[in-house]
Amino acid sequence: MSGLVAYIDGGSLGNPGPSGIGVVIDGPTDGTIRIAKSIGYQDNNVAEYVALLEALQCALDLRPRRFTCFQIPR
């Protein structure tokens, strides 16, 4: 596999509050990977960090030659 591009975001309703993450990874031969999860009661910074960790874990499993990650701007 040559390269992957990930787009990540995390957020909370309140700070802290109910939180979730979203990850979209483009580039694998099997198509686009989409991950959306609730991560419980966290603050916004934790949610964004967990989204990054989720993308990195997926990239480790796929073993691309190149990995680029972007945080979705607000």
Side-chain angles (χ1 to χ4, degrees), residues 9-70:
D9 199 12
S12 63
L13 184 61
N15 206 14
S19 302
I21 64 164
V23 177
V24 176
I25 300 176
D26 288 329
T29 57
D30 295 336
T32 301
I33 297 169
R34 292 178 175 86
I35 303 167
K37 291 184 180 180
S38 173
I39 59 166
Y41 196 85
Q42 302 293 336
D43 68 27
N44 190 55
N45 293 331
V46 170
E48 290 176 356
Y49 184 66
V50 170
L52 175 61
L53 292 176
E54 190 76 27
L56 290 171
Q57 184 61 55
C58 190
L60 281 173
D61 294 341
L62 295 171
R63 302 179 57 96
R65 289 181 185 233
R66 186 178 64 246
F67 179 70
T68 306
C69 187
F70 298 100

